[in-house]
Protein backbone atom coordinates (compact mmCIF):
# COMPACT_ATOMS: atom_id res chain seq x y z
CA UNK A 1 0.00 0.00 0.00
CA UNK A 2 1.16 3.52 -0.78
CA UNK A 3 2.42 5.05 2.51
CA UNK A 4 0.26 8.16 2.09
CA UNK A 5 -2.83 5.98 1.55
CA UNK A 6 -1.98 4.18 4.76
CA UNK A 7 -1.93 7.50 6.64
CA UNK A 8 -5.13 8.67 4.91
CA UNK A 9 -6.92 5.49 6.01
CA UNK A 10 -5.63 5.84 9.56
CA UNK A 11 -6.84 9.46 9.67
CA UNK A 12 -10.22 8.61 8.15
CA UNK A 13 -10.84 5.81 10.67
CA UNK A 14 -9.90 8.04 13.61
CA UNK A 15 -12.26 10.77 12.42
CA UNK A 16 -15.03 8.33 11.56
CA UNK A 17 -14.86 6.63 14.95
CA UNK A 18 -15.07 10.04 16.65
CA UNK A 19 -18.11 11.00 14.54
CA UNK A 20 -19.91 7.71 15.24
CA UNK A 21 -19.19 7.94 18.98
CA UNK A 22 -20.49 11.51 19.10
CA UNK A 23 -23.94 10.26 18.10
CA UNK A 24 -24.14 8.49 21.47
CA UNK A 25 -24.27 11.97 23.07
CA UNK A 26 -26.41 13.77 20.50
CA UNK A 27 -27.30 16.53 22.96
CA UNK A 28 -23.65 17.68 22.86
CA UNK A 29 -23.69 18.19 19.07
CA UNK A 30 -23.70 21.93 18.35
CA UNK A 31 -24.85 23.00 14.89
CA UNK A 32 -24.37 26.46 13.37
CA UNK A 33 -25.26 27.86 9.96
CA UNK A 34 -22.24 28.96 7.91
CA UNK A 35 -24.07 29.76 4.66
CA UNK A 36 -27.36 29.39 2.87
CA UNK A 37 -28.74 25.96 3.85
CA UNK A 38 -25.18 25.04 4.86
CA UNK A 39 -24.41 23.82 8.37
CA UNK A 40 -21.34 22.90 10.39
CA UNK A 41 -21.09 21.19 13.77
CA UNK A 42 -18.48 21.03 16.49
CA UNK A 43 -18.03 17.38 15.47
CA UNK A 44 -17.00 18.39 11.91
CA UNK A 45 -14.28 20.59 13.37
CA UNK A 46 -13.11 18.04 15.93
CA UNK A 47 -12.92 15.29 13.28
CA UNK A 48 -11.05 17.60 10.92
CA UNK A 49 -8.50 18.43 13.62
CA UNK A 50 -7.93 14.69 14.20
CA UNK A 51 -7.28 14.22 10.47
CA UNK A 52 -4.92 17.19 10.20
CA UNK A 53 -2.96 16.11 13.29
CA UNK A 54 -2.60 12.57 11.90
CA UNK A 55 -1.36 13.86 8.52
CA UNK A 56 1.05 16.39 10.01
CA UNK A 57 2.56 13.81 12.36
CA UNK A 58 3.86 11.96 9.28
CA UNK A 59 3.97 14.70 6.63
CA UNK A 60 4.43 18.10 8.33
CA UNK A 61 5.68 19.66 5.08
CA UNK A 62 2.59 18.89 2.98
CA UNK A 63 -0.20 21.34 2.07
CA UNK A 64 -3.72 20.66 3.32
CA UNK A 65 -7.05 21.94 2.02
CA UNK A 66 -9.82 21.32 4.55
CA UNK A 67 -13.46 22.35 4.41
CA UNK A 68 -13.49 23.99 7.84
CA UNK A 69 -9.84 24.97 8.44
CA UNK A 70 -9.32 26.21 4.86
CA UNK A 71 -5.86 26.06 3.24
CA UNK A 72 -2.88 25.13 5.37
CA UNK A 73 0.35 25.87 3.53
CA UNK A 74 3.38 23.62 3.78
CA UNK A 75 6.94 23.62 2.52
CA UNK A 76 6.14 21.07 -0.19
CA UNK A 77 3.62 22.73 -2.52
CA UNK A 78 3.60 19.72 -4.87
CA UNK A 79 1.62 17.58 -2.41
CA UNK A 80 -1.88 18.59 -1.33
CA UNK A 81 -4.26 16.73 0.97
CA UNK A 82 -7.95 17.49 0.36
CA UNK A 83 -10.20 16.73 3.32
CA UNK A 84 -13.90 16.56 4.03
CA UNK A 85 -14.17 15.40 7.64
CA UNK A 86 -17.95 14.92 7.45
CA UNK A 87 -19.52 14.66 4.01
CA UNK A 88 -23.23 14.56 4.73
CA UNK A 89 -23.47 16.99 7.65
CA UNK A 90 -27.23 17.50 7.26
CA UNK A 91 -27.79 13.74 7.51
CA UNK A 92 -25.58 13.66 10.62
CA UNK A 93 -27.43 16.55 12.28
CA UNK A 94 -30.77 14.90 11.56
CA UNK A 95 -29.60 11.52 12.82
CA UNK A 96 -29.71 9.87 9.40
CA UNK A 97 -26.85 7.33 9.43
CA UNK A 98 -25.44 8.09 5.97
CA UNK A 99 -22.28 10.22 5.88
CA UNK A 100 -18.58 9.77 5.31
CA UNK A 101 -15.02 10.94 5.84
CA UNK A 102 -13.28 11.81 2.57
CA UNK A 103 -9.51 12.21 2.11
CA UNK A 104 -7.56 12.58 -1.15
CA UNK A 105 -3.90 13.28 -1.86
CA UNK A 106 -2.95 15.19 -4.99
CA UNK A 107 0.59 15.37 -6.39
CA UNK A 108 1.25 18.18 -8.86
CA UNK A 109 -2.48 18.49 -9.57
CA UNK A 110 -3.20 14.75 -10.00
CA UNK A 111 -4.99 12.71 -7.37
CA UNK A 112 -2.72 9.82 -6.40
CA UNK A 113 -4.50 8.14 -3.47
CA UNK A 114 -7.94 8.44 -1.91
CA UNK A 115 -10.18 6.93 0.73
CA UNK A 116 -13.80 7.43 1.74
CA UNK A 117 -14.91 5.90 5.04
CA UNK A 118 -18.48 5.25 6.16
CA UNK A 119 -18.18 4.80 9.95
CA UNK A 120 -21.78 3.62 10.39
CA UNK A 121 -21.35 0.62 8.09
CA UNK A 122 -17.59 0.30 8.62
CA UNK A 123 -17.09 0.46 4.85
CA UNK A 124 -13.76 1.73 3.57
CA UNK A 125 -13.51 2.65 -0.11
CA UNK A 126 -9.97 3.30 -1.34
CA UNK A 127 -7.92 3.72 -4.50
CA UNK A 128 -4.39 4.32 -5.69
CA UNK A 129 -3.92 5.78 -9.15
CA UNK A 130 -3.31 2.97 -11.65
CA UNK A 131 -4.04 0.20 -9.14
CA UNK A 132 -7.83 -0.06 -9.12
CA UNK A 133 -10.42 0.62 -6.43
CA UNK A 134 -11.38 -1.42 -3.39
CA UNK A 135 -14.12 -1.76 -0.81
CA UNK A 136 -12.75 -3.30 2.41
CA UNK A 137 -9.92 -4.96 0.41
CA UNK A 138 -12.20 -6.40 -2.29
CA UNK A 139 -11.91 -5.09 -5.86
CA UNK A 140 -14.88 -3.09 -7.15
CA UNK A 141 -15.94 -2.26 -10.73
CA UNK A 142 -18.65 -0.08 -12.24
CA UNK A 143 -21.54 -1.74 -14.10
CA UNK A 144 -21.29 -1.25 -17.85
CA UNK A 145 -24.59 0.05 -19.22
CA UNK A 146 -26.14 -0.40 -22.65
CA UNK A 147 -28.42 2.61 -22.07
CA UNK A 148 -30.32 4.31 -19.23
CA UNK A 149 -33.28 1.91 -19.25
CA UNK A 150 -33.81 0.43 -15.78
CA UNK A 151 -31.06 2.51 -14.18
CA UNK A 152 -30.99 4.17 -10.77
CA UNK A 153 -29.28 7.57 -10.87
CA UNK A 154 -28.04 9.39 -7.77
CA UNK A 155 -28.07 13.15 -7.53
CA UNK A 156 -28.13 16.05 -5.11
CA UNK A 157 -30.53 18.97 -5.27
CA UNK A 158 -28.99 22.46 -5.70
CA UNK A 159 -30.04 23.59 -2.23
CA UNK A 160 -27.21 26.16 -2.03
CA UNK A 161 -27.91 27.49 -5.54
CA UNK A 162 -31.68 27.56 -5.84
CA UNK A 163 -31.44 29.95 -8.79
CA UNK A 164 -30.64 26.82 -10.83
CA UNK A 165 -33.60 24.83 -9.50
CA UNK A 166 -35.87 25.28 -12.54
CA UNK A 167 -33.19 24.16 -15.01
CA UNK A 168 -32.10 21.31 -12.73
CA UNK A 169 -35.64 19.93 -12.41
CA UNK A 170 -36.08 20.11 -16.18
CA UNK A 171 -33.01 17.87 -16.50
CA UNK A 172 -34.37 15.47 -13.87
CA UNK A 173 -37.80 15.34 -15.52
CA UNK A 174 -36.25 14.57 -18.88
CA UNK A 175 -33.93 11.93 -17.41
CA UNK A 176 -36.81 10.31 -15.56
CA UNK A 177 -38.34 9.35 -18.92
CA UNK A 178 -35.29 7.12 -19.56
CA UNK A 179 -34.11 5.89 -16.16
CA UNK A 180 -36.03 3.83 -13.58
CA UNK A 181 -35.54 5.95 -10.47
CA UNK A 182 -33.42 8.48 -8.58
CA UNK A 183 -31.64 8.43 -5.23
CA UNK A 184 -30.82 11.59 -3.28
CA UNK A 185 -28.70 10.33 -0.37
CA UNK A 186 -26.82 13.41 0.84
CA UNK A 187 -23.15 12.43 0.60
CA UNK A 188 -21.58 13.00 -2.85
CA UNK A 189 -18.42 11.15 -1.79
CA UNK A 190 -20.46 8.04 -1.03
CA UNK A 191 -22.52 8.50 -4.21
CA UNK A 192 -19.33 8.23 -6.28
CA UNK A 193 -18.18 5.21 -4.27
CA UNK A 194 -21.56 3.50 -4.59
CA UNK A 195 -21.33 4.03 -8.34
CA UNK A 196 -17.86 2.46 -8.30
CA UNK A 197 -19.26 -0.53 -6.40
CA UNK A 198 -22.21 -1.01 -8.78
CA UNK A 199 -24.85 -0.04 -6.20
CA UNK A 200 -26.14 2.76 -8.41
CA UNK A 201 -25.76 3.27 -12.16
CA UNK A 202 -24.95 6.96 -12.51
CA UNK A 203 -24.48 10.24 -10.67
CA UNK A 204 -24.79 13.92 -11.48
CA UNK A 205 -24.73 17.03 -9.33
CA UNK A 206 -23.88 20.70 -9.67
CA UNK A 207 -22.06 23.17 -7.43
CA UNK A 208 -19.86 20.72 -5.53
CA UNK A 209 -16.60 21.72 -3.82
CA UNK A 210 -13.19 20.06 -4.37
CA UNK A 211 -13.41 18.29 -1.01
CA UNK A 212 -16.77 16.80 -2.03
CA UNK A 213 -15.30 15.34 -5.21
CA UNK A 214 -11.57 14.64 -4.92
CA UNK A 215 -11.50 11.25 -3.15
CA UNK A 216 -14.68 9.78 -4.63
CA UNK A 217 -13.64 10.82 -8.13
CA UNK A 218 -10.40 8.80 -8.03
CA UNK A 219 -12.13 5.78 -6.49
CA UNK A 220 -14.79 5.95 -9.22
CA UNK A 221 -12.30 6.34 -12.07
CA UNK A 222 -10.15 3.48 -10.78
CA UNK A 223 -13.31 1.33 -10.84
CA UNK A 224 -13.83 2.16 -14.53
CA UNK A 225 -16.24 5.09 -14.14
CA UNK A 226 -16.12 7.94 -16.67
CA UNK A 227 -16.24 11.33 -14.90
CA UNK A 228 -16.96 14.59 -16.76
CA UNK A 229 -18.33 18.07 -16.18
CA UNK A 230 -21.71 19.12 -17.61
CA UNK A 231 -20.18 19.89 -21.01
CA UNK A 232 -18.45 16.52 -21.26
CA UNK A 233 -15.03 17.94 -20.37
CA UNK A 234 -12.74 17.38 -17.40
CA UNK A 235 -13.10 20.72 -15.59
CA UNK A 236 -15.33 19.34 -12.82
CA UNK A 237 -12.89 20.07 -9.97
CA UNK A 238 -13.14 23.76 -10.88
CA UNK A 239 -16.81 24.00 -11.93
CA UNK A 240 -18.13 21.60 -9.30
CA UNK A 241 -20.52 20.13 -11.87
CA UNK A 242 -20.12 16.36 -12.14
CA UNK A 243 -21.52 13.59 -14.34
CA UNK A 244 -20.36 10.03 -13.69
CA UNK A 245 -21.31 6.59 -14.99
CA UNK A 246 -20.05 3.99 -17.45
CA UNK A 247 -19.32 5.38 -20.93
CA UNK A 248 -22.84 4.90 -22.32
CA UNK A 249 -24.41 6.09 -19.09
CA UNK A 250 -22.45 9.36 -19.20
CA UNK A 251 -23.44 9.83 -22.84
CA UNK A 252 -27.11 9.42 -21.95
CA UNK A 253 -27.03 11.73 -18.91
CA UNK A 254 -25.10 14.43 -20.81
CA UNK A 255 -27.69 14.35 -23.59
CA UNK A 256 -30.43 15.31 -21.14
CA UNK A 257 -28.26 17.98 -19.50
CA UNK A 258 -27.37 19.60 -22.83
CA UNK A 259 -30.97 19.58 -24.04
CA UNK A 260 -32.50 20.93 -20.81
CA UNK A 261 -29.81 22.83 -18.90
CA UNK A 262 -29.49 26.60 -19.07
CA UNK A 263 -26.29 28.43 -20.02
CA UNK A 264 -25.37 29.15 -16.39
CA UNK A 265 -24.99 25.47 -15.46
CA UNK A 266 -23.52 24.35 -18.79
CA UNK A 267 -20.40 26.54 -18.40
Amino acid sequence: MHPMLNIAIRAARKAGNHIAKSLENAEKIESTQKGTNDFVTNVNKEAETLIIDTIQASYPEHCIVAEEHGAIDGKDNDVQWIIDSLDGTTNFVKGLPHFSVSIAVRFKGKTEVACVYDPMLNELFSAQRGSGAQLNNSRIRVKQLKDLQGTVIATGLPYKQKQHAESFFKIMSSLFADCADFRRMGSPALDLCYLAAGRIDGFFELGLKPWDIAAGELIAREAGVIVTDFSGGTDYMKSGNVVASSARGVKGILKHIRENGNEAILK
Side-chain angles (χ1 to χ4, degrees):
M1 183 186 291
H2 193 293
M4 282 189 277
L5 180 55
N6 193 30
I7 297 301
I9 290 171
R10 186 185 305 172
R13 287 194 181 277
K14 277 186 183 179
N17 292 341
H18 176 73
I19 293 164
K21 195 162 184 62
S22 72
L23 286 174
E24 296 172 9
N25 298 295
E27 69 280 357
K28 293 184 179 178
I29 299 172
E30 300 165 7
S31 176
T32 55
Q33 190 165 339
K34 62 178 182 178
T36 305
N37 301 315
D38 195 9
F39 296 89
V40 63
T41 72
N42 55 316
V43 178
N44 294 64
K45 295 173 181 178
E46 291 159 6
E48 194 167 277
T49 298
L50 283 171
I51 295 169
I52 291 169
D53 288 349
T54 303
I55 294 166
Q56 290 183 332
S58 296
Y59 299 104
E61 73 281 9
H62 289 178
C63 298
I64 297 172
V65 176
E67 181 173 8
E68 309 308 336
H69 283 75
I72 302 169
D73 292 331
K75 292 179 181 177
D76 187 349
N77 291 321
D78 286 342
V79 185
Q80 183 185 66
W81 295 68
I82 302 180
I83 299 165
D84 191 343
S85 61
L86 181 44
D87 185 53
T89 300
T90 300
N91 284 350
F92 173 75
V93 169
K94 296 291 186 182
L96 291 167
H98 185 82
F99 41 78
S100 61
V101 181
S102 173
I103 303 174
V105 187
R106 288 169 71 81
F107 181 71
K108 293 185 177 179
K110 286 186 176 181
T111 308
E112 289 294 325
V113 300
C115 69
V116 173
Y117 180 54
D118 178 347
M120 305 309 289
L121 294 178
N122 192 28
E123 289 191 331
L124 177 73
F125 299 88
S126 62
Q128 184 175 326
R129 191 157 70 92
S131 298
Q134 295 185 317
L135 165 55
N136 292 347
N137 299 318
S138 295
R139 187 76 181 265
I140 52 177
R141 293 290 294 174
V142 68
K143 286 182 181 176
Q144 296 297 325
L145 305 178
K146 292 181 179 179
D147 51 41
L148 294 179
Q149 292 297 313
T151 58
V152 174
I153 309 295
T155 189
L157 305 182
Y159 62 95
K160 297 180 191 175
Q161 297 176 309
K162 290 193 175 181
Q163 70 273 21
H164 297 315
E166 185 178 352
S167 182
F168 187 83
F169 285 122
K170 279 184 181 177
I171 293 167
M172 283 193 72
S173 179
S174 178
L175 253 175
F176 193 48
D178 280 354
C179 72
D181 207 347
F182 291 106
R183 291 293 180 271
R184 193 272 185 263
M185 295 180 282
S187 172
L190 283 176
D191 284 341
L192 286 164
C193 291
Y194 279 21
L195 175 59
R199 294 174 177 177
I200 55 174
D201 302 300
F203 169 71
F204 76 102
E205 190 165 345
L206 64 84
L208 295 171
K209 299 295 185 183
W211 47 80
D212 297 319
I213 305 168
E217 178 262 357
L218 180 68
I219 293 164
R221 285 195 297 107
E222 285 296 323
V225 174
I226 305 297
V227 185
T228 77
D229 57 25
F230 277 15
S231 63
T234 58
D235 206 24
Y236 45 83
M237 288 291 286
K238 185 178 178 181
S239 70
N241 300 341
V242 179
V243 176
S245 185
S246 65
R248 290 185 180 180
V250 165
K251 185 178 179 182
I253 296 168
L254 283 174
K255 176 178 178 287
H256 290 281
I257 290 173
R258 287 180 184 133
E259 290 174 357
N260 298 278
N262 60 25
E263 282 188 26
I265 68 172
L266 290 175
K267 287 181 180 176

